[in-house]
Amino acid sequence: MTKVAVIFHSGYGHTRVVAEHVARGAQAQLVAIDANGDITDADWQTLNDADAIIFGTPTYMGNVSWQFKKFADATSKIWFGGGWANKVFGGFTNSASPNGDKQVALITLQTLASQHGGIWVSLGLPPSNTKAATADDVNNLGGSVGLLTRAPADASVEEVHKGDLKTAELYGKRVAEVAAKLAV
């Protein structure tokens, strides 16, 4: 069976909810980056053993959180030895605004995967871009590089948009399916 890990940082809980849905779709193990930007040795082993890694972070000030960046910088030891070369990667980000410069955060995640010699999986879903579209529709934010989600700044963690959570599950499933195809 293909092993998938979802590594994420969540400052207020919204990104955690999205990570849980991505993990559900991918049947993946969750790895949380703590408030200091750290993970355990066991978490590092989970990532090293995974066939696919899905990165997740809130978008703060137009990019990934500093905690995620600290984690990303710590992967340089793995990069030096080529430890994650040819792994399958994906990524997602959440912010309060419909745009919030989320694309910059996604490109940061994609670049990290590429630096490791990984294979990036796009969202693979058409946007919901008709006048009748709502936040309950799949890919209502129109992402393509990876998963974009939105949780308004005054929303509780239970109020992440239903369409985003469904999209998260579909994206997790897609990453796992791509990893399984490449493992053959």
Side-chain angles (χ1 to χ4, degrees), residues 63-149:
N63 213 319
V64 300
S65 66
W66 72 262
Q67 292 91 340
F68 189 90
K69 179 68 170 115
K70 180 180 176 183
F71 156 76
D73 288 349
T75 70
S76 63
K77 294 173 188 169
I78 297 165
W79 167 84
F80 188 75
W84 290 353
N86 300 316
K87 278 191 191 284
V88 172
F89 288 91
F92 63 93
T93 190
N94 179 75
S95 72
S97 300
N99 180 332
D101 296 317
K102 285 190 270 287
Q103 193 70 16
V104 176
L106 270 184
I107 296 300
T108 298
L109 301 179
Q110 185 182 39
T111 300
L112 176 61
S114 296
Q115 293 242 324
H116 278 284
I119 301 160
W120 184 263
V121 179
S122 67
L123 185 61
L125 295 168
S128 296
N129 57 7
T130 65
K131 289 193 303 185
T134 71
D136 289 339
D137 291 330
V138 169
N139 197 15
N140 68 83
L141 293 175
S144 59
V145 172
L147 172 63
L148 306 175
T149 65

Side-chain angles (χ1 to χ4, degrees), residues 31-82:
V31 175
I33 299 168
D34 70 19
N36 294 317
D38 297 320
I39 62 174
T40 68
D41 289 341
D43 292 335
W44 282 111
Q45 193 60 51
T46 295
L47 297 173
N48 290 336
D49 291 344
D51 300 300
I53 299 172
I54 304 172
F55 299 134
T57 180
T59 297
Y60 292 158
M61 302 307 293
N63 213 319
V64 300
S65 66
W66 72 262
Q67 292 91 340
F68 189 90
K69 179 68 170 115
K70 180 180 176 183
F71 156 76
D73 288 349
T75 70
S76 63
K77 294 173 188 169
I78 297 165
W79 167 84
F80 188 75

Side-chain angles (χ1 to χ4, degrees), residues 19-32:
E20 290 167 351
H21 281 77
V22 171
R24 183 177 303 141
Q27 298 180 356
Q29 185 170 347
L30 283 171
V31 175

